[in-house]
Amino acid sequence: MIKVAPSLLAADYMRLGEEIRRVAEAGADYLHFDVMDGSFVPNISFGPELLRQAAACGLPVDAHLMIVNPEKYIDAFAKAGAEIITVHAEAATHLHRCLQQIRAAGCLAGVALNPATSPDCLRYVMGDFDLALVMTVNPGYGGQRLIPACIRKVGEVRSMLWEAGCDAIVEVDGGVNLATAPRLVEAGADMLVAGSALYGAEDAQSFIEALKGAEEQF
Ligand code: DX5
Ligand code: ZN
């Protein structure tokens, strides 16, 4: 079954608790929590204290760290209650060590790849991560259009994991909507992040059901 993770970046910030509970009741599996530092990406977003409060709203938190020197903050986000912590391969100078640090902190470890990053780097940390996050937009902002070439990369990552006998899941983030989801799932996505399309949908529950039903559309 496809998992759906609404991105809090697209929620109404004046009503965050309500916005989290709304998607939880609508069938979301995780809350996708985008952390941006104004350095790795141009935008600035949320920190560990907000994550701690968000985690109390009932969904397991999937923390996507778009920050330089992620090793400095992994423990803080773990302590705040994240279930998954994902670091960018481009931002982690010592990716292998970061992944060990995430697991040692009791979380599931994820590796994110920017659109122009080759999935090859995953080969050398195979077995050290639980999730590969394929970015289908350049990270930093919600509401962008999916970059079509990244769909092929979802398939490449999926095959690489199968060939290695690795049971890590493939998460896709950026430009996910009802039109792109079936292609992403067909390519091998297990978990879909959706921000603007999901929070902008009239009925979150039927939107999430449609994303989960993307498997049947090909
Ligand atoms: C982008 C973030 C995404 C973003 C997705 O840098 O990592 O999680 O919120 O937003 P949409 O679904 O609107 O592309
Ligand atoms: Zn994200």
Side-chain angles (χ1 to χ4, degrees):
M1 184 68 146
I2 299 302
K3 295 201 183 312
V4 175
S7 167
L8 194 63
L9 201 63
D12 177 349
Y13 297 168
M14 297 306 282
R15 301 185 298 116
L16 280 180
E18 232 175 277
E19 290 279 80
I20 297 169
R21 284 185 285 272
R22 178 163 77 87
V23 294
E25 281 160 21
D29 299 284
Y30 282 92
L31 180 72
H32 186 79
F33 191 92
D34 287 304
V35 181
M36 305 179 179
D37 65 353
S39 181
F40 180 65
V41 291
N43 205 357
I44 295 178
S45 63
F46 321 125
E49 178 52 27
L50 187 68
L51 190 146
R52 193 182 63 72
Q53 297 197 28
C57 292
L59 276 178
V61 177
D62 165 32
H64 176 193
L65 305 191
M66 289 164 275
I67 61 176
V68 296
N69 303 320
E71 67 283 353
K72 285 191 186 168
Y73 299 96
I74 286 168
D75 293 348
F77 284 107
K79 224 167 145 194
E83 185 162 313
I84 303 172
I85 297 182
T86 297
V87 295
H88 268 261
E90 308 84 3
T93 310
H94 304 289
L95 177 60
H96 179 267
R97 184 183 287 153
C98 269
L99 297 172
Q100 308 276 323
Q101 188 185 347
I102 295 169
R103 284 184 168 173
C107 300
L108 297 171
V111 181
L113 304 174
N114 278 341
T117 301
S118 162
D120 256 1
C121 60
L122 296 176
R123 290 188 196 285
Y124 308 103
V125 286
M126 204 56 86
D128 295 310
F129 61 89
D130 305 288
L131 176 151
L133 171 53
V134 180
M135 288 304 302
T136 39
V137 298
N138 289 297
Y141 302 97
Q144 305 179 76
R145 282 172 72 99
L146 175 139
I147 300 166
C150 298
I151 299 177
R152 200 176 68 222
K153 187 155 65 169
V154 173
E156 286 168 14
V157 169
R158 177 76 274 163
S159 312
M160 191 185 275
L161 297 178
W162 269 333
E163 280 160 21
C166 175
D167 60 5
I169 67 166
V170 179
E171 180 178 22
V172 175
D173 186 6
V176 174
N177 55 39
L178 296 183
T180 56
R183 296 170 68 199
L184 294 164
V185 171
E186 184 178 17
D190 305 299
M191 176 154 153
L192 300 172
V193 175
S196 52
L198 196 159
Y199 271 105
E202 215 142 272
D203 178 353
Q205 186 169 342
S206 39
F207 187 90
I208 290 173
E209 277 166 16
L211 285 187
K212 292 190 179 204
E215 250 164 329
E216 286 119 47
Q217 292 182 35
F218 55 83

